[in-house]
Amino acid sequence: MSQTQWQAVIGLECHVQLLTRSKMFSGASTAYGADPNTHACALDVALPGTLPVANAEAIRLAVRFGLAVGAHIRPMSVFARKNYFYPDLPKGYQISQYEEPIVEGGSVRVAVGDGRSITVALTRAHLEEDAGKSVHDAFHGATGIDLNRAGTPLLEIVSEPVMHSAAEAAAYMKTLHRLVRWLRICDGNLEEGSFRCDANVSIRPEGDSTLGTRTEIKNVNSFRFVEKAIEYEIERQIRELEAGRSIVQETRLYDEARQQTRPMRSKESAHDYRYFPDPDLPPVVVPAELQEAERALLPELPDARHARYLEALQLSAYDAGQLTGDRETADYFEALLSGVPGQAKLCANWVLGEVSAALNAAQYDIVACPIAPAQLADLLGRIVDGSISGKIAKDVFTAMWAGEGSADAVIAARGLGQISDDSALVAAIDGVLAASPEQAGQFRAGDEKIFTWLVGQVMRATRGKANPSRLNQLLRERLQSC
Amino acid sequence: MALDSATLVHLARLARLSLGASELELLGADLDRTLAMIDQLQQIDVNGLEPLAQPQAPDTGNRVDSVTEEDHSAQLLGLSPAAEGGYFLVPKVIE
Amino acid sequence: MSRIEALDTVSGQLAALAAGSATAIALVERSLERAAALVELNALITTTADAARATAARLTPGSGPLAGVPFAQKDLFCTRGVRTTCGSRMLADFIAPYDATVSERLNAAGAVSIGKANMDEFAMGSSNENSFFGPVRNPWDRQRVPGGSSGGSAALVAAGVVPFATGSDTGGSVRQPAALCGVVGLKPTYGRVSRYGMVAYASSLDQAGVLAHTADDCARVLAAIAGADPRDATCSTRPLDDYVGALGSGVRGLRIGVVAEYFGAGVDPAVAQAVRGALQVLEREGAVLVDVRLPSLPLSIPAYYVLAPAEASSNLARYDGVRFGHRCDAPTDLADLYGRSRAEGFGTEVKRRILAGTYVLSAGYYDAYYRRAQRVRRLIANDYQRAFTEVDLLAGPTAPDVAFALGEKAADPLAMYAADVNTVAVNLAGLPAISVPAGFVTGLPVGLQLVGPAFGETRLLAAAHALQLVSDWHLQAPGAAA
């Protein structure tokens, strides 16, 4: 029986693989999925005499991130050696940044559901190199080391411990994930390990200002598992403390099968990393010109776009949220909108409806969409000008997706042009009324519901091409006039 | 300030050197004397002195981000005392 | 004693090749014969006779600034396809897959490598008694040390096996063996020569150097190896001076600071007298001798023995038996693999320095030792900078004594360290320095050290050259079987 009200305190450290072609300190490729050790050069294998030289693009991407989160960019930051022995760390040290990181401070606004937002302050972000990979089960009594990943540039983004629930932490992780993809500094591929988060979790009695002992949960590679792992860990810590035990500061893994966290077996509880500035590398210099150049290149950030969609375009919070889920979708939407100005809602419906469904079915990302925004704009234009109904437009869309041509070409080829011409419509209506005297009489007698049936009949007679609003108007007129 | 043996053992572990008892003792005595010599630095007034990390300001500049290395795996794995199937091998590590 | 021959110098060999009185093949054979005759000096770890002959056979005289001149390389310069041992069991069978920049440039200049010179293990030592491959003997007295760590290189030049050799200098390892062997040893400004492919001992102190009989020869070799290298981030892009062209500048009006602390209590009076005699020769040639003080000089030993071992402990972490180098038999687990491979692979002095370096970087000690030593380093550098506002060069004995007996100091590492007092400060300040033969005491060579301001190699070489025009200490050669 819980007497104490507990507060969870969570901070996240996210390792973001930067989108560079080559490694942080060598010219080997960072491309994923190659055969083992084929993307490891002499430096990555730490051969004697090899020396690191910093990747200018990685520095630029780190600056871009810092600017986007309103952080302070250090004009001069220092690479430091983090010394420890592990087979996936060939030099016996990782080149990272310690006392003087390139980015300090900053914050990220996170929507945590129910219209609520929190601001997560960031402590810092720094540049470092990734380690290689271990393969444990493929060799008899041995572990295999693949150094392809060793040396890949990482930006380690550290949040302040200001989240208080697993849900908040997961929301932050998703927001950060969207942001690094939005900025084009990371591809955000969770399965490939481009974006990895470790969670530091501790609890304390509600109202306490000191921090409890924390544990670190590592190697969780999905948003869902991060949330579950943190939830479990919070409960575990509460159980431990309420049973009179204390929390051991340790590193834990999330066991997906058992849905529990458990301690990592091989890591020592406290490493002495013996940090010192790396003598092989000069300080990282970020001149004002580089900052200004990157600032000028910053895209409109997700939050700003979201706000603009709400206010200027009058879209719903749901639509705005969905459209700003990633930059490519937002860009597609705006390119589409520029082709049918003033039709924000229509465009939103189509992007989030037909386009999204078709992409999901084909397992495409929006950048691979076979219908370009301008082409889709032509189609939507035909709805707006009454040439076709929305329903017909969906068929045209499917035909365009299959490569049958432009909107107009498909409409013409299939004779799908909506009948808006009054005389043709009147003719169709009169034909139906003549064929359905009973139903016409029911309407005139006051049965409003039969109207829908009559509409359906005219639609059928025109093979769906009647302009619905004009049809409604004219049908009512004809019924009332006869 | 003589080092205690626990510290010495800890240092050898940190440095991944498996030293026998007598070697440890000898090296420990050497380290004691070296540290005593180094302790002279404690007497110096270092006020106002910024640490000097690199004696000449490096000016080579950063690397352009391009792939300049090809597949060297055969050659590099060939240098290893224990490699198999494209991997470097170590005794099994349990995580 | 006897005298060196014209063919013992680079300039002499180039002249003979140009005149046609010697061929590249003949010069290589000459070197190989002498190496074989002097095998008891143990100055070479690997001799590359066939490759040298093949290179010489292909060579066109005059095709490069050093075309046809045989040389030896200190065994910490990576040489493609050739064993690169660093004098250590750890790399006893390591065949480097690439060439160091220094090796590459000397090959491109047409010089012909006859092999890899013995050295103190991983450049740690001042006597060349710390090599896994056995000690090197001083050609002037086979029972004495040649100095270290570039003992093999110095002995090979002194014995007339090669006209020049490469070395490395972290705390005096080119200059001190040059002094003890009666040859010229040049350590350029830190960053003047690329460290790419030069196996690292202490990254902020290491610099490649040259050993030869004359300043002229050193100038020629420096011109071939120095200059920008994008593969080494600490290598300077500053353009090269005309080292050879400026040799004849003379010393008229040159202010030479005679450093009181260089003539400290530990210096043998006869050595001091010989060095003062050499300085008087320069004075007669027009140099102005000025008394100067470098009060922080005695601090250079403790500062060096914090910083160098610290950097070394990190640089040598990559030697773990996994990807290259010595691996222990049948390791039981990862800790055993690391622990035994390293304990077996490294010699005693290397272990001493790794432990010391680990200690000074470890948690709680970083500020008290490493950071403090860096601040003392600043103090020392400031002293030199101030001195160079008053004088053009600084001078003193390179080493406090002539070559000592093999085994004499082996049991007393601290005595060995203390003898480096005249040389290590130069590495801490990153300045260029040269040791020039300045006389003999009891038939053993004595060296005069000249120190210059940053990138002042031209001034150093010109002063050394001026001394050599009016003296003949550098022309003495050890007698047969001394």
Side-chain angles (χ1 to χ4, degrees), chain A residues 20-29 36-38 40-41 45 47 53-57 59 85-86 135-137 139-147 253 262 264-266 268 272 274 278-279 281-283, chain B residues 10-17 51 53-77 79-80 82-95:
Chain A
T20 59
R21 291 187 211 106
S22 65
K23 296 201 176 168
M24 186 69 227
F25 298 109
S26 82
S29 168
N37 292 304
T38 55
C41 67
V45 172
L47 287 192
V53 185
N55 185 323
E57 180 69 5
I59 293 167
F85 286 87
Y86 204 68
V135 171
H136 298 296
D137 303 312
F139 305 95
H140 34 270
T143 290
I145 306 296
D146 172 13
L147 295 174
L253 298 177
R262 59 167 177 80
M264 260 181 103
R265 264 172 280 174
S266 66
E268 294 164 31
D272 183 355
R274 288 157 280 139
D278 195 325
L281 290 161
Chain B
H10 173 68
L11 279 180
R13 168 105 187 86
L14 261 186
R16 297 301 189 275
L17 293 169
Q54 285 158 333
Q56 302 298 338
D59 59 8
T60 294
N62 300 318
R63 254 184 340 105
V64 166
D65 179 34
S66 63
V67 175
T68 56
E69 298 285 349
E70 301 163 348
D71 173 9
H72 300 293
S73 55
Q75 186 186 61
L76 294 174
L77 290 163
L79 291 172
S80 172
E84 192 184 303
Y87 291 85
F88 297 100
L89 294 187
V90 296
K92 197 168 178 72
V93 177
I94 303 159
E95 280 182 350

Side-chain angles (χ1 to χ4, degrees), chain C residues 401-428:
Chain C
D401 213 335
V402 294
F404 47 91
L406 284 160
E408 183 180 312
K409 292 193 184 171
D412 192 354
L414 254 64
M416 195 86 83
Y417 298 167
D420 292 336
V421 68
N422 283 11
T423 50
V424 300
V426 166
N427 302 79
L428 290 168

Side-chain angles (χ1 to χ4, degrees), chain A residues 94-107:
Chain A
Q94 176 197 33
I95 303 178
S96 177
Q97 295 190 299
Y98 184 54
E99 288 176 328
E100 297 176 67
I102 185 168
V103 169
E104 285 170 318
S107 64

Side-chain angles (χ1 to χ4, degrees), chain A residues 147-370:
Chain A
L147 295 174
N148 280 353
R149 197 181 66 177
T152 301
L154 292 179
L155 187 66
E156 179 176 327
I157 302 166
V158 182
S159 83
E160 291 283 323
V162 294
M163 288 164 277
H164 299 299
S165 72
E168 283 181 2
Y172 165 77
M173 188 175 162
K174 286 182 195 155
T175 305
L176 194 65
H177 179 260
R178 177 181 69 168
L179 180 62
V180 297
R181 290 196 57 229
W182 196 279
L183 294 171
R184 309 238 159 94
I185 68 173
C186 174
D187 69 15
N189 190 322
L190 294 164
E191 292 81 45
E192 289 181 1
S194 308
F195 185 91
R196 316 189 297 254
C197 287
D198 301 334
N200 290 309
V201 181
S202 67
I203 60 171
R204 64 185 174 192
E206 191 96 47
D208 245 24
S209 58
T210 52
L211 291 171
T213 306
R214 65 162 202 244
T215 59
E216 185 185 15
I217 306 172
K218 283 183 96 72
N219 294 349
V220 194
N221 65 357
S222 84
F223 302 120
R224 201 167 61 96
F225 288 147
V226 157
E227 190 165 354
K228 288 168 91 64
I230 295 174
E231 262 167 11
Y232 176 86
E233 183 59 18
I234 292 170
E235 267 152 48
R236 184 192 76 86
Q237 290 195 13
I238 292 175
R239 269 202 310 278
E240 289 294 296
L241 289 182
E242 290 189 338
R245 293 186 286 271
S246 51
I247 306 299
V248 175
Q249 183 173 337
E250 62 189 351
T251 305
R252 299 175 73 88
L253 298 177
Y254 184 63
D255 184 331
E256 292 165 23
R258 295 210 198 95
Q259 302 197 35
Q260 299 175 345
T261 63
R262 59 167 177 80
M264 260 181 103
R265 264 172 280 174
S266 66
K267 295 259 177 181
E268 294 164 31
S269 53
H271 278 284
D272 183 355
Y273 292 121
R274 288 157 280 139
Y275 284 99
F276 69 102
D278 195 325
D280 288 328
L281 290 161
V284 179
V285 173
V286 181
E289 304 84 62
L290 174 57
Q291 274 201 54
E292 289 324 303
E294 275 303 308
R295 195 187 299 279
L297 290 174
L298 274 182
E300 185 185 27
L301 296 178
D303 279 355
R305 278 230 187 157
H306 183 103
R308 185 160 60 80
Y309 291 179
L310 281 179
E311 286 146 27
L313 300 183
Q314 311 269 292
L315 291 176
S316 69
Y318 177 79
D319 284 352
Q322 291 292 106
L323 289 170
T324 56
D326 62 79
R327 187 165 156 195
E328 292 72 28
T329 300
D331 284 352
Y332 188 100
F333 164 74
E334 291 201 44
L336 175 63
L337 182 58
S338 69
V340 260
Q343 298 291 334
K345 183 64 187 157
L346 179 68
C347 291
N349 288 347
W350 272 81
V351 171
L352 299 178
E354 295 302 304
V355 175
S356 179
L359 289 172
N360 281 341
Q363 295 196 313
Y364 287 170
D365 286 330
I366 199 161
V367 289
C369 181

Side-chain angles (χ1 to χ4, degrees), chain C residues 53-194:
Chain C
R53 289 180 179 120
T55 305
R58 284 196 306 267
L59 252 165
T60 316
S63 60
L66 299 171
V69 179
F71 75 108
Q73 316 192 55
K74 186 173 184 178
D75 207 10
L76 50 49
F77 289 99
C78 287
T79 43
R80 188 197 308 271
V82 176
R83 222 169 38 141
T84 301
T85 72
C86 299
S88 179
R89 183 180 180 194
M90 184 59 84
L91 294 177
D93 301 311
F94 175 67
I95 311 279
Y98 74 104
D99 278 322
T101 297
V102 167
S103 305
E104 207 174 71
R105 289 181 180 180
L106 287 171
N107 293 340
V112 183
S113 174
I114 64 148
K116 308 303 289 296
N118 201 346
M119 53 181 283
D120 277 309
E121 187 180 0
F122 283 107
M124 301 184 203
S126 310
S127 65
N128 220 137
E129 295 174 286
N130 294 335
S131 169
F132 174 66
F133 299 91
V136 174
R137 293 168 181 277
N138 192 317
W140 294 86
D141 179 338
R142 309 289 161 94
Q143 306 313 313
R144 293 178 183 264
V145 303
S149 59
S150 311
S153 302
L156 288 167
V157 173
V161 174
V162 285
F164 81 93
T166 57
S168 73
D169 191 312
T170 305
S173 291
V174 161
R175 293 161 285 152
Q176 183 253 27
L180 270 49
C181 288
V183 299
V184 179
L186 170 69
K187 182 201 95 65
T189 309
Y190 182 84
R192 180 74 287 181
V193 181
S194 170

Side-chain angles (χ1 to χ4, degrees), chain B residues 3 15-16 18 23 30 33 38-39 41-42 44 46 49-53 55-56 58-60 79-80 82 89, chain C residues 95 190 232-233 235-237 299 305-306 322-323 327 339 342-343 351-352 368 372 374-375 377-378 412 430:
Chain B
L3 281 179
R16 297 301 189 275
S18 293
E23 199 178 5
D30 288 337
R33 294 173 59 215
I38 288 169
D39 265 345
L41 296 178
Q42 303 306 321
I44 310 306
V46 291
L49 288 167
E50 278 306 297
L52 179 60
Q56 302 298 338
D59 59 8
T60 294
L79 291 172
S80 172
L89 294 187
Chain C
I95 311 279
Y190 182 84
D232 173 3
C235 186
S236 173
T237 58
L299 299 174
Y305 281 99
V306 168
V322 177
R323 299 163 314 289
R327 182 181 180 111
R342 291 165 60 80
K351 285 173 185 164
R352 279 191 193 111
R372 177 167 274 266
Q374 282 193 319
R375 299 170 86 176
R377 184 175 188 176
R378 173 79 61 185
D412 192 354

